[in-house]
Amino acid sequence: MIVRKIKEEELKRTSELFSIAFEFPDHNWEKSPEEVARQCRENPDSPIQKYALEKWAAFEDDDKTMMAFIGGTPYDVEFDGHTVKMSGVGGVSSMGQYRRQGAIRGCFQQYLRDLYDTGFVFSTLYPFSASYYRQYGYERGEDLTGYRIPVSAIPKFDVGGHVRLVEQGEGLADAMKVFDAFRQGLNMASSRTELDYSWITRANPAKDCVYTYIYYNEGGEPKGVMTFTKASIGDAPDGATHYQISCQRFYFVDMEGLKGLLRHCKAFEMYYDFVSFLLPQHMRIEDLIPERSFRQPLSLRRNMNGMVRAVNVQRALELARYRGSGEFTVRVHDGMLPENDKCFHIRFQEGRALSVETTESAAPDAELGINDFSRFLLGTHRPEEMGYVEAARFNAPTEKIGQVFYKKPIFITENF
């Protein structure tokens, strides 16, 4: 088996393989390999197309017969006040006759090696199975909170301003401004370019029945963005079928923006029973809905928000934000990248690392697989919660652990 990055003329085959693996028609089937490559090279309509050659494939020994491939889309993301390189995994596909033969593992090994060698710090993905990707060092990030709020229970918020329906690219700069403000301070939230906003540039609500509204305050500043479709739900307490404003995006700059969006939802009270959207866990907004009863239940649920992996442990420790000053030693186990499979001693002062060095003599304060190390450093758990993670080993008091691993705001942006 040979594993390498694909060539331009092999792009069409990855499209075919993806369609075969996931059992749906290939939208490129009528195009030649040259046409597929030209589209991605000259007129990409998404980051995935722009970085179409960022794919790693396994081939039979003839170096021609493609067995499997994975794709990686690079993004700049937030991490503890820094901007770092992250690669989002997508399109993981293998032909049926080659499954369980190590082809995907070979792709991940080469992919992670290339990321490490080119300065990436993290990788993320959205899994079909968390247990499957755990074998490659990925672990669940922090879940999002899913809200479903009765429209009738939304207060009549006293905010001014207005909303505008987006049609065919209107409001692109304003939507970008809102998301850039929303993602500030959220670990793993990615920066975006215009290619990430096809839902704005191609917006055609009359044709697609997908509605994007931007809320502007009285001063004309964009403060909130929501995109939704109409959806029916059948699990309401009364057993009847109800309709909800089902939001795919729900971003806001501040409390004014949030209230402006909710007030707009209130305007649909005669047509919809509920509004649903997802938010990072630290944005606890349920107290904005004071009226609750069995007839008007506000429901919360946890929605998986992707998986994370540290690609370069030392660099991540050098950039991390700590609490106070001190020293800490962590033993990391990583079966994919030997550079990470070491014991690291950190000295930090006033919240930032002074030095991060490998050591063989110091007794570790924590012993973690790359999976748990990655999510703990990003901030998924409080120190007192980590004792319930079976594979994690700690040899230090909770106060010391909490200087390195503690709860932080996280938002893994699904762009890839």
Side-chain angles (χ1 to χ4, degrees):
M1 183 172 65
I2 297 171
V3 179
R4 59 170 172 78
K5 291 185 79 169
I6 67 165
K7 302 172 184 176
E8 191 175 76
E9 59 268 24
E10 294 165 335
L11 271 175
K12 179 175 171 60
R13 184 54 180 164
T14 63
S15 179
E16 294 170 344
L17 201 157
F18 181 78
S19 294
I20 292 170
F22 289 94
E23 302 176 332
F24 60 80
D26 178 19
H27 66 279
N28 287 322
W29 74 275
E30 288 185 315
K31 298 178 182 178
S32 68
E34 293 77 15
E35 288 173 318
V36 173
R38 187 182 310 113
Q39 164 73 30
C40 296
R41 182 178 62 250
E42 299 178 3
N43 190 30
D45 62 8
S46 68
I48 291 176
Q49 283 199 355
K50 180 178 180 180
Y51 297 102
L53 292 179
E54 295 299 304
K55 293 181 173 65
W56 288 256
F59 298 84
E60 287 191 355
D61 291 340
D62 62 3
D63 199 23
K64 295 180 181 179
T65 306
M66 190 179 296
M67 305 165 63
F69 82 94
I70 67 174
T73 304
Y75 278 95
D76 289 337
V77 298
E78 294 283 322
F79 172 59
D80 282 6
H82 300 280
T83 299
V84 301
K85 293 170 68 176
M86 181 278 289
S87 178
V89 178
V92 179
S93 309
S94 60
M95 295 290 285
Q97 64 266 37
Y98 297 117
R99 293 181 181 178
R100 300 184 183 275
Q101 296 182 31
I104 292 296
R105 174 169 288 274
C107 291
F108 266 104
Q109 286 175 327
Q110 190 59 53
Y111 164 72
L112 291 170
R113 166 52 51 201
D114 288 351
L115 291 187
Y116 187 95
D117 291 343
T118 53
F120 283 79
V121 182
F122 292 102
S123 176
T124 65
L125 55 81
Y126 280 76
F128 76 94
S129 164
S131 60
Y132 176 81
Y133 287 105
R134 210 166 270 130
Q135 66 183 306
Y136 305 125
Y138 291 82
E139 190 49 85
R140 290 177 59 183
E142 183 171 82
D143 294 340
L144 296 175
T145 300
Y147 287 88
R148 189 167 75 189
I149 303 172
V151 175
S152 60
I154 298 174
K156 296 179 180 179
F157 292 115
D158 185 19
V159 290
H162 65 280
V163 295
R164 187 174 73 185
L165 177 67
V166 172
E167 297 185 81
Q168 300 179 354
E170 296 175 349
L172 174 61
D174 294 335
M176 295 177 71
K177 185 176 181 180
V178 170
F179 180 75
D180 283 343
F182 179 84
R183 73 181 187 89
Q184 293 302 310
L186 302 181
N187 276 352
M188 304 311 293
S190 66
S191 60
R192 291 179 171 181
T193 67
E194 288 190 17
L195 282 178
D196 297 292
Y197 286 86
S198 60
W199 50 278
I200 290 284
T201 56
R202 300 179 186 173
N204 191 342
K207 174 178 178 292
D208 303 324
C209 297
V210 179
Y211 309 97
T212 295
Y213 287 92
I214 301 177
Y215 166 74
Y216 298 84
N217 68 6
E218 289 184 328
E221 284 291 310
K223 290 282 189 171
V225 176
M226 61 184 293
T227 299
F228 69 88
T229 56
K230 184 177 184 178
S232 61
I233 57 174
D235 61 345
D238 59 7
T241 297
H242 295 265
Y243 293 96
Q244 70 176 358
I245 302 167
S246 181
C247 297
Q248 294 78 51
R249 298 171 190 87
F250 196 85
Y251 306 136
F252 46 87
V253 173
D254 51 23
M255 182 66 79
E256 182 184 20
L258 170 59
K259 289 182 176 180
L261 293 179
L262 290 175
R263 187 189 66 176
H264 183 55
C265 294
K266 184 76 172 177
F268 292 94
E269 187 172 356
M270 297 300 294
Y271 307 99
Y272 291 92
D273 302 289
F274 298 92
V275 57
S276 65
F277 50 84
L278 300 173
L279 291 178
Q281 282 188 31
H282 72 283
M283 295 181 177
R284 295 188 55 177
I285 69 164
E286 52 263 39
D287 288 334
L288 286 175
I289 312 298
E291 179 56 47
R292 303 186 201 176
S293 67
F294 288 110
R295 294 179 61 249
Q296 290 185 313
L298 181 150
S299 64
L300 307 178
R301 68 187 188 279
R302 284 196 167 189
N303 287 64
M304 189 173 180
N305 188 31
M307 301 182 78
V308 298
R309 191 199 204 282
V311 173
N312 189 321
V313 167
Q314 178 148 348
R315 187 59 179 149
L317 289 170
E318 290 170 347
L319 296 173
R321 181 181 284 119
Y322 302 92
R323 285 178 165 173
S325 303
E327 298 184 24
F328 195 89
T329 303
V330 57
R331 175 67 171 92
V332 179
H333 298 280
D334 187 345
M336 304 286 286
L337 287 169
E339 292 89 342
N340 293 335
D341 192 50
K342 295 177 180 179
C343 194
F344 297 88
H345 182 72
I346 312 114
R347 294 175 56 249
F348 53 95
Q349 184 175 335
E350 296 181 356
R352 290 299 183 185
L354 295 175
S355 65
V356 178
E357 299 174 340
T358 59
T359 178
E360 295 299 331
S361 57
D365 297 301
E367 189 169 353
L368 304 169
I370 187 65
N371 313 59
D372 290 325
F373 168 83
S374 302
R375 61 174 174 171
F376 289 171
L377 192 67
L378 285 169
T380 59
H381 288 61
R382 297 178 180 86
E384 59 271 20
E385 296 171 334
M386 297 175 193
Y388 294 96
V389 179
E390 190 174 16
R393 297 286 182 269
F394 294 100
N395 306 306
T398 301
E399 293 77 11
K400 186 174 183 180
I401 296 167
Q403 288 186 284
V404 179
F405 302 116
Y406 57 93
K407 192 79 167 176
K408 307 170 187 175
I410 305 174
F411 182 57
I412 304 172
T413 314
E414 184 178 9
N415 286 323
F416 42 90

